[in-house]
Structure formats: structure tokens, C-alpha cells
Amino acid sequence: MTPLRINLDQNEIPTHWYNVVADMKNPPAPPLGPDGLPVPGEKMAAIFPLPLLEQEMSAERWIPIPEEVRQIYALWRPSPLCRARRLEEALGTPARIFYKYEGVSPAGSHKPNSAVPQAFYNKRAGTRRLTTETGAGQWGSSIAFAGQMFGLPVRVFMVKVSYQQKPFRRSMMQTWGAEVFASPTDLTQAGRAVLAKDPNSQGSLGIAISEAVEEAAADPGTCYTLGSVLNHVLLHQTIIGLEAKKQFDKIGLYPDVIFGPCGGGSSFGGIAFPFLADQAAGDKRAARLRAVAVEPTSCPTLTKGAYAYDFGDASGYTPLMKMYTLGHDFMPPGIHAGGLRYHGDSPLVSQLLHEGLVEALAVPQVATFEAGVAFARAEGIIPAPESCHAIRAAIDEALACKASGEPKTILFNLTGHGHFDMASYDKYFAGQLEDFEYPAEAIADSLRHLPRVG
Amino acid sequence: MTPLRINLDQNEIPTHWYNVVADMKNPPAPPLGPDGLPVPGEKMAAIFPLPLLEQEMSAERWIPIPEEVRQIYALWRPSPLCRARRLEEALGTPARIFYKYEGVSPAGSHKPNSAVPQAFYNKRAGTRRLTTETGAGQWGSSIAFAGQMFGLPVRVFMVKVSYQQKPFRRSMMQTWGAEVFASPTDLTQAGRAVLAKDPNSQGSLGIAISEAVEEAAADPGTCYTLGSVLNHVLLHQTIIGLEAKKQFDKIGLYPDVIFGPCGGGSSFGGIAFPFLADQAAGDKRAARLRAVAVEPTSCPTLTKGAYAYDFGDASGYTPLMKMYTLGHDFMPPGIHAGGLRYHGDSPLVSQLLHEGLVEALAVPQVATFEAGVAFARAEGIIPAPESCHAIRAAIDEALACKASGEPKTILFNLTGHGHFDMASYDKYFAGQLEDFEYPAEAIADSLRHLPRVG
């Protein structure tokens, strides 16, 4: 009998991250400045330390994980690979369903996988303080934890409406010693400008990014951190898929299809990329592998966006990145999977999708909670709303296997637990959640505002 | 180097629970009825199924764990035994600090260890529905989860003030399919009587117990479940210590001192009893072992109570149990470790303390949060307030080792995470928590109301 959980020992924590750039058909499209020319490294160096910039630009296939990072990873990693046998039985499917459970981290999600190396490299590069922005607080709490591990002070600009309505992730950040401010603040020019216009502003992720970046750019000792989208973030997250491969090796199985929730791309890339390495190397087991990024129908970047250069933020402060985008002024409705509300996507995931190496799928909100509840009732763990997107796709695939009789091996990324998202479950049970599909005309309209390059 | 986490495989989940009764100096004092005579089994059988009653009365040393229970345990067990090396370094202690982490269960605490077998034996005995009471919701969520695992409907009477102020554990229970009512309800005579006197009653644990027991007693298909205090609950919890022993064997160490938080006794008994078995068997490694139950100074049952027969509940509905007690009408102040607010204690833990086989220690509230924050900043995990009591004691022991130079091996039970307790951390950081020591006269006064036996 296949065990329910496949554990690895600490000494089996991978020693290298995998860089998918080495196996891409074409080199990644570079970030561009307003002049249409690639952004010079020095400009980025104002807010990121050199080792992370090198990783951002690297084409090396394997990048060593520093021993100090592995030691912090060892506080919760390797994370378990679990077989959802009770879910299989509940569905009556011949499929084997596996999930990689990232909710075992102190912050309760996969985010610390990148927060820890980001804090480490910053510390080593002499950074004295980190800034970041956070919405509901998943990334903010992860970088607060990671900063504490390396004795690096962290300042988090938390969108004011979340600061007030979702106080508990703020409490976590403070428990790990971070300073948390409700954004907009009067600490930055960006914040003061917003408050001058509207003293009661509830804030937005765009404003919080501006505040965090401004502080980093203004002080040589301060650097900015980001929890998704960028190449180095996806690189760090490949620890997930690399461990999963070792775990599948132990039981002599290999996935036929992989699902990851996809907002900025870090959890999908993290679980899927290492398997693409096998595909690129001609590994027969990976020949038929499908890697599917799962996004909400209410923010259908990969499935209905354009593949084009666009700003990473709403205000147009960031370099232009080539990615699937709904347009940087696209305003997604307030769905409960806050981590998936992003107008753009990881440039790496976008290019792989464009080149046909990965797939994308959009699922409606109510069905994701239905899947999350079915999962909780079979397997125990209550999943984060982001994770529910991958669960929905995995369940649908397992039901298709039931119809076809195929005993596929399905893997999905259970990116986090839902302990801080119970209010969303309440709304689901109360029938207060709605599905939302953005009208095609609205997307077309928003895409008309894509920046002109050069 | 000692690894940071000692894992066991699923096939190493213990096959038997350990019953400390077999190794006690004297047989346990029996529960008594109002007539002063031992309660006849048939009376208890109205609310508990036979297999659990047999365990409650058993003197067998080893009780087999049903395979169906081990299969559900395997969803999260064996739980990790972790070495708190970063905490040791932060303290500068020569001591080795280990913790057994029970927060990995779906409900986030050790409570499912007993909820699962309770649901299983009830299902097998033909019970059609379970009732229970819950305060903050740790036990209620655990039995909701366990009931769902065996297809057994669960009705939870949740103290109204918690139902309103702490909605998220209610959401968890509902996610696992349980019915949750704010107690007092109009579903029971007990509830209606309270509401007739005070329509705005905020409820109490005593009232909720009465409602849950009344429903179980009134319907042959309904049974009542309890999350601590009783012998069979402590029996199930020995899975914690039994696993810990296997884990220590793997690294060739043995604890010198064990700390468990102690309210009703299930988490302390769960981790400590299996080591007492070694002591009873003359195992030399256990000769100097100290097992210490850690309680709050605001509810100092073991350290300042009387060892006497008392009611288990505030209203005097339960049989009389011989235990350390502050008197059944003792009203502990509202400290934040809700799980430790109990006027009495497990009769087994009480008798072992009375016979000098275990020790007890009381710690003040503010110092427990201070310890919890120090732990979180060193080890990542944010602990539940109950667990912080054991952490406080472990840190103090480690600091004593620093002074004496002794490299003791310290083990404590990290019974759960604090994800649903962040409001308490907020109060700690805001300086709003207070220490409270009950005046000796108040305790003496409350002890004057102990029931007369016979």
C-alpha cells in the first residue's frame, strides 16, 4: 500500500534550486525601462541586493542553496507529500491524488521558501532593513518571520483596509518583531500625497508598493522584497517541486498532471518547474506530463489576458515586464483568494505558457470553496482559498478519470492552510459568495491602455 | 549533530495506548454518586458507549489502538519531535530543549488524539449522534473533525460569548460539518431554564455541559463526549509520549525533565505517562526523571487546591471525582489560556501528584506570553497560550541549567499553534494582560463548599 505521507529527512533537503531559464526555448524577455531599453542593473541595485539581482538574471540551471538557508528551511522542511486517499474514495476515482503540503511553515504558506533566502542574501550583502507591502498579510508575515531569523528589521506597509479588517496576520508579524503600518502612511511622499487628496483613503496594494519601494530607494541600507512574480522568487520556490520529485522517487510514481494555484506565479512555478526539467532532459516519465496553472475566472490573466509588455504595478512605477496581463489598470473584483488578484503574472510562467510548455485554466470562486470543503471533510486540513483553486482542478481531473477509467497520478500544491481565512468560509456557507466572469469588452478596454514600448 | 526534527514513519505509529493505572501505587479512587457509593456502570452507559466505559475503568497496562483509528491518526501522526536549537542558542544554555509538536493536527492541537477514538468507538457501538460543549472551540473543532471522519453527526453547544467573540473556530466546526449552537439554547430544558431567568445570558461552560449531557441522556442514540479530565481521554493522549519515546530512542537521548501544560490534564498526562512506565519498570534512564504539570497562577488547582472529592462541573450534575480542586464554584478570572481554566483536574494526574510521582508548578500569565514570543522568534512556530505555560517552565529550567552548567535534556509538549489566539498576543503587546494570584482566603472560602461525601 502506498503510504499516506511520504517524508524526507532533513539531510534530503535539496542543495540547489532549479532555474527553468536554462531549459526554456528562448531566453526570457528582459524587463524594459520607459525608453524601451532593458533596465540597467544599477537601477535595480538601488532596491535589491546584488546576489538576488544575479539570480534574477541568471541562466544557470542549478543555483546552490546556502547552508544558512537550509538550516532555517529545516525548521519545517522537507514538507510532506501526502496521498489524499480518503478524497479519492469519496470521489470514487481510480486516480491517485497527491498534494504537497506547504501549510506546515511557521507562516502557514509556501511564502517563507523565498522570504528566507531573500532575508539571508540581504543580511549578507549588508542590508540593514527590509521593506515590503502586504495585502491580507501572507507575504508580510513570511518576511517578518524570515527577517527575525537573520536579525534583520522588517517594515511592512499593510493595505489599511486589511490592517483594520484582518488584524491577525498583523499580530503574527508583530510577534515576529516586524513594524507594521497601515498604508497610506505619512512616512513616505507617496503616502502623504494620497492622504493629502483623501485623508480617509483605505489604501491599495499599489499605494503600499509605492511606499515600500520609496523607502528602499531613498536609503542605501534599506532594500525592498517581493513575494512573487520575479524570477528569483520562483527560483526559490522550486524547493517545493524538487522535494516532491524525491518523494515520488521513493514510491516509484511520477505525476501525469500537476496543478498549482496561480496569481503571481510563485506557487505554480515552484511545484511545476522541476518536473519541466525532466521533460527538457528527455525523461520518458515526463513525456506526457501536463503542468496546469489554475487562476480565478474573476481575474483571468493567463486565460484571457494579452501576452505583452506591461507595468508590474497599477501606478506604472515598475519596469515593463513581458507577461500575460489584463492591463495594469484592471481592477479585479474583491474575491476571497486575495493572493490571486493580480492583473499580470510571472514573466517566466507567461513565457512558458506562450511557448506551449505549460497550460492554464480558470475556475469560478464558489466551486473552489466547494472543493475546499470536500477536501477538508475527507483529509482534515482546511485549505487556504488560493489552494482551493488547485483542489478544484484536481477534483475535476479525478472525476474525469472516473469517467474514463484512467488511473492518472495527480499532484497539486496545497500552498497553505485556511486558519486566517475562516471569514471567507463563513461567507461561502452563508451563500454570500458569487461567481464573477469579467465581460470580454471590459478586458479588451483595459488592454487598450497597455503602455507603448519605446 | 542532533537533527532538528526527529520524524517517524506512519508504520511506527504506536499500536497500543499506555494505561498508567497499571503502574500506580494504589488503584484509582472511583467516581462516587451523591450517595457516596461508586457510580454504577449502567448510569454512565446512558451517555458513554461501552468500549469507552471499559477503558475508563480498565487497569490493563496496554490497550490496543484500533486499525481504523491509526489510519485517521496517519493523516497527521506521528507528530514531529523537534530540537529547539535556536532557542537554546538564544538562551545560551547548555541544556538540550526538545518539544513534541501537536499543532500539526487538522484542528491545530492535541485534542484530536482523543476525539478520533471517541468518534470511532461511538460509531462502532451504534451511536447515531455526538454532543459536546466547547468554550473557545479547541475540543469542539476536534470532535467535529473526528465525527466527520467516521460519518457521525456532531452537535456542539458553544458558550455564547465565545460563539460571538471567537467566530473562527465555529467556522472550522461548520467546515467539518458539525452543528454549532450558541449556548444557552432553547433546545434543552437546561438551556430554557437559564433563558427564562436571563434572556441575555452569555452562557458558561457549566451550562453548555448541562445542555450536551441532557441531550445525550435523553436519546439512546446520542452520546456525550469530553475532551479532558477522564481516564480514557488521558489514555488516548499517551500516543504523544509513546511516539516521543521512540523518537528519543532514535537519537540515543532520554529526557531529564518533562513539562506539559495542565488544565484538565490530558496534554500533561499524554506526554508524561509513558515515561512513568519506564520509571515503574526500573529503567535506569528514568530514575531521575521529573514530570512537571504546569498550570496558571490564576487557576492553581494542583499547587493550591485540596485533594478531595468534588463535582466535575459547576452545577453539581456529574459524579464526584477525587482530584485536586479549588472547589466547583471557584470562578477563575478570564485568563487567555482558556483551556487551563478548570477548577479541578484529572483524577489520574491528581492521584499521581498526591502520591509524589509527578510534580506541579504554577506560572503567571504575562511571563507565559513572554516565553511564547521568545519561542516564536527563535523557532518560528507561534504557540497557543496553553502551550506557552510549558514553554515558560522549559525556559526557566534551561536558564537554571545555564547557571548550574548542567546539560539537561528538557522535553515539553507544544500542544498547539496560536493561529486562533492572536487577539491574546495583541493584548500582550499592548500591555493589557495582567498577572493574577488568587488570594489564599478566596480559595479557602471556595473549598469550604466542597460536597460532603456519603
Side-chain angles (χ1 to χ4, degrees):
Chain A
M1 181 186 130
T2 316
L4 290 179
R5 273 192 304 165
I6 300 98
N7 288 323
L8 297 175
D9 281 338
Q10 276 167 243
N11 52 24
E12 294 175 284
I13 293 176
T15 55
H16 293 71
W17 291 298
Y18 166 67
N19 184 3
V20 75
V21 170
D23 287 319
M24 280 165 65
K25 287 186 191 168
N26 301 293
L32 302 182
D35 53 4
L37 298 173
V39 182
E42 311 89 78
K43 260 199 134 164
M44 307 282 270
I47 58 170
F48 294 115
L50 200 58
L52 290 175
L53 279 183
E54 284 170 359
Q55 292 181 353
E56 187 67 21
M57 312 296 184
S58 173
E60 288 289 315
R61 184 172 283 105
W62 297 102
I63 310 245
I65 305 178
E67 195 46 40
E68 295 88 336
V69 170
R70 293 179 79 231
Q71 274 174 18
I72 302 298
Y73 276 171
L75 290 176
W76 75 94
R77 304 206 72 85
S79 70
L81 177 73
C82 306
R83 178 154 179 193
R85 191 180 274 281
R86 287 176 49 92
L87 180 63
E88 293 168 15
E89 283 164 12
L91 298 172
T93 180
R96 288 176 284 238
I97 306 176
F98 288 87
Y99 60 92
K100 181 78 171 158
Y101 185 39
E102 292 294 310
V104 292
S105 83
S109 78
H110 69 295
K111 295 283 183 188
N113 296 336
S114 183
V116 169
Q118 287 191 48
F120 167 75
Y121 287 116
N122 269 288
K123 180 76 178 180
R124 205 174 60 175
T127 304
R128 290 190 304 275
R129 194 165 62 106
L130 298 178
T131 66
T132 201
E133 76 286 341
T134 202
Q138 290 208 16
W139 172 247
S141 56
S142 300
I143 197 76
F145 156 70
Q148 177 62 238
M149 293 299 107
F150 294 104
L152 203 49
V154 172
R155 176 171 286 188
V156 182
F157 293 91
M158 186 172 188
V159 179
K160 191 184 275 174
V161 61
S162 299
Y163 185 95
Q164 290 164 342
Q165 290 179 1
K166 300 188 173 177
F168 295 142
R169 282 205 184 262
R170 170 181 56 67
S171 319
M172 285 184 99
M173 295 184 241
Q174 290 168 336
T175 302
W176 286 313
E179 290 180 300
V180 188
F181 295 100
S183 165
T185 73
D186 57 5
L187 297 169
T188 67
Q189 228 174 319
R192 288 190 295 271
V194 172
L195 291 172
K197 274 195 212 162
D198 176 8
N200 297 316
S201 166
Q202 289 299 290
S204 73
L205 214 47
I207 297 168
I209 293 175
S210 304
E211 294 205 88
V213 170
E214 182 184 322
E215 281 215 339
D219 172 13
T222 301
C223 279
Y224 171 71
T225 63
L226 194 68
S228 193
V229 180
L230 299 180
N231 299 1
H232 67 271
V233 181
L234 273 73
L235 173 77
H236 303 151
Q237 293 292 354
T238 59
I239 189 88
I240 304 172
L242 291 165
E243 283 180 8
K245 279 170 62 170
K246 289 192 181 194
Q247 287 160 314
F248 274 115
D249 277 349
K250 283 193 192 266
I251 52 173
L253 284 174
Y254 198 90
D256 296 301
V257 53
I258 300 173
F259 297 104
C262 197
S266 80
S267 67
F268 169 69
I271 196 160
F273 286 0
F275 291 91
L276 299 184
D278 292 344
Q279 223 166 25
D283 187 322
K284 276 187 197 160
R285 296 172 306 170
R288 299 181 320 139
L289 174 75
R290 293 169 52 218
V292 186
V294 189
E295 63 183 11
T297 51
S298 57
C299 192
T301 314
L302 297 172
T303 51
K304 297 206 174 158
Y307 184 52
Y309 268 103
D310 197 3
F311 294 113
D313 65 330
S315 323
Y317 291 157
T318 71
L320 294 167
M321 297 187 293
K322 189 146 188 201
M323 59 185 178
Y324 279 91
T325 176
L326 295 165
H328 59 277
D329 49 9
F330 178 83
M331 186 56 84
I335 64 157
H336 290 280
L340 306 183
R341 283 183 72 202
Y342 183 54
H343 71 273
D345 217 302
S346 145
L348 291 180
V349 171
S350 295
Q351 186 166 333
L352 289 164
L353 176 64
H354 187 67
E355 294 176 355
L357 292 171
V358 303
E359 301 173 30
L361 178 72
V363 291
Q365 176 171 239
V366 174
T368 65
F369 277 93
E370 184 193 38
V373 170
F375 182 82
R377 292 186 178 177
E379 300 295 321
I381 299 165
I382 298 178
E386 289 82 4
S387 312
C388 292
H389 287 70
I391 299 175
R392 176 75 265 165
I395 288 180
D396 289 345
E397 185 79 22
L399 291 174
C401 288
K402 183 178 181 179
S404 70
E406 281 176 289
K408 282 190 191 169
T409 299
I410 298 168
L411 169 64
F412 71 87
N413 196 352
L414 188 60
T415 51
H417 59 62
H419 301 168
F420 295 94
D421 304 288
M422 296 314 299
S424 302
Y425 278 90
D426 277 354
K427 286 195 179 150
Y428 167 71
F429 285 119
Q432 288 166 6
L433 294 188
E434 282 180 12
D435 287 337
F436 187 81
E437 248 182 272
Y438 232 80
E441 315 84 69
I443 295 175
D445 189 50
S446 156
L447 289 175
R448 261 180 229 116
H449 306 145
L450 284 180
R452 294 179 60 175
V453 176
Chain B
M1 180 185 132
T2 317
L4 291 178
R5 274 192 302 166
I6 301 99
N7 288 323
L8 298 174
D9 280 339
Q10 275 167 242
N11 53 24
E12 294 175 285
I13 293 176
T15 56
H16 293 71
W17 292 298
Y18 166 67
N19 184 4
V20 76
V21 170
D23 287 318
M24 279 165 65
K25 288 185 189 167
N26 301 294
L32 303 180
D35 53 4
L37 296 173
V39 181
E42 311 87 78
K43 260 201 135 163
M44 307 283 269
I47 59 170
F48 293 115
L50 199 58
L52 290 175
L53 279 181
E54 284 170 358
Q55 292 182 352
E56 187 66 23
M57 312 294 184
S58 172
E60 288 289 319
R61 184 171 283 105
W62 298 104
I63 311 248
I65 306 178
E67 195 47 40
E68 295 89 335
V69 170
R70 292 179 80 233
Q71 275 174 17
I72 302 298
Y73 277 170
L75 290 177
W76 75 95
R77 301 205 74 84
S79 71
L81 176 73
C82 305
R83 178 152 179 196
R85 191 179 273 280
R86 287 176 49 92
L87 180 63
E88 293 168 15
E89 283 165 13
L91 298 172
T93 179
R96 287 177 283 238
I97 307 176
F98 289 87
Y99 60 93
K100 181 80 169 156
Y101 185 39
E102 292 294 309
V104 292
S105 82
S109 78
H110 68 295
K111 294 283 183 188
N113 295 336
S114 182
V116 169
Q118 287 192 48
F120 167 74
Y121 287 117
N122 268 289
K123 180 75 179 183
R124 203 173 63 175
T127 305
R128 289 190 304 276
R129 193 164 63 106
L130 298 177
T131 66
T132 201
E133 75 286 341
T134 202
Q138 289 209 17
W139 172 248
S141 57
S142 300
I143 197 77
F145 157 70
Q148 177 62 238
M149 292 299 106
F150 294 105
L152 204 48
V154 171
R155 175 171 287 190
V156 181
F157 292 91
M158 185 172 189
V159 179
K160 190 184 275 176
V161 61
S162 299
Y163 184 94
Q164 289 164 344
Q165 288 178 3
K166 301 187 174 179
F168 296 142
R169 282 206 183 263
R170 169 182 55 69
S171 318
M172 284 184 99
M173 295 184 239
Q174 290 169 335
T175 302
W176 285 314
E179 290 181 302
V180 188
F181 294 99
S183 165
T185 71
D186 58 5
L187 297 168
T188 67
Q189 227 173 320
R192 286 189 295 271
V194 172
L195 290 172
K197 274 195 211 162
D198 176 8
N200 297 316
S201 165
Q202 289 301 291
S204 73
L205 213 47
I207 298 168
I209 293 175
S210 304
E211 294 206 88
V213 169
E214 182 185 321
E215 281 217 337
D219 172 15
T222 300
C223 278
Y224 170 70
T225 64
L226 195 67
S228 194
V229 181
L230 300 181
N231 299 1
H232 68 271
V233 180
L234 272 73
L235 174 77
H236 302 151
Q237 292 292 354
T238 60
I239 188 88
I240 303 172
L242 292 165
E243 283 181 4
K245 279 170 62 170
K246 289 191 182 196
Q247 286 161 316
F248 273 115
D249 277 347
K250 284 193 191 265
I251 53 172
L253 284 174
Y254 198 91
D256 295 301
V257 52
I258 300 174
F259 297 104
C262 197
S266 79
S267 67
F268 169 69
I271 195 159
F273 287 180
F275 291 90
L276 299 182
D278 291 345
Q279 222 165 24
D283 187 321
K284 275 186 198 162
R285 298 172 304 171
R288 299 181 320 138
L289 174 76
R290 295 168 52 217
V292 186
V294 189
E295 63 184 13
T297 51
S298 58
C299 192
T301 314
L302 297 172
T303 50
K304 298 204 174 160
Y307 185 53
Y309 268 102
D310 197 3
F311 294 111
D313 64 331
S315 323
Y317 293 157
T318 71
L320 294 166
M321 297 187 291
K322 189 146 188 201
M323 59 185 177
Y324 280 91
T325 175
L326 296 164
H328 59 279
D329 48 11
F330 177 83
M331 184 57 82
I335 65 155
H336 289 281
L340 306 183
R341 285 183 71 201
Y342 183 54
H343 71 273
D345 217 302
S346 146
L348 291 181
V349 170
S350 296
Q351 187 165 332
L352 289 165
L353 176 65
H354 187 68
E355 293 176 355
L357 292 171
V358 304
E359 301 172 30
L361 177 71
V363 290
Q365 176 172 238
V366 174
T368 65
F369 277 93
E370 184 193 37
V373 170
F375 181 81
R377 291 185 179 179
E379 300 295 322
I381 297 165
I382 297 178
E386 290 82 3
S387 313
C388 290
H389 288 69
I391 299 175
R392 176 75 265 166
I395 287 179
D396 289 345
E397 185 79 21
L399 290 174
C401 288
K402 184 179 180 176
S404 69
E406 280 177 290
K408 282 190 191 169
T409 298
I410 299 169
L411 169 64
F412 71 88
N413 196 353
L414 187 60
T415 50
H417 60 63
H419 300 167
F420 295 93
D421 304 286
M422 296 314 301
S424 302
Y425 278 89
D426 278 351
K427 285 195 179 151
Y428 167 70
F429 285 119
Q432 290 168 3
L433 294 188
E434 283 178 12
D435 286 338
F436 187 82
E437 248 182 273
Y438 232 79
E441 316 83 69
I443 294 176
D445 189 53
S446 156
L447 288 174
R448 262 180 228 116
H449 306 146
L450 284 180
R452 295 179 58 176
V453 176

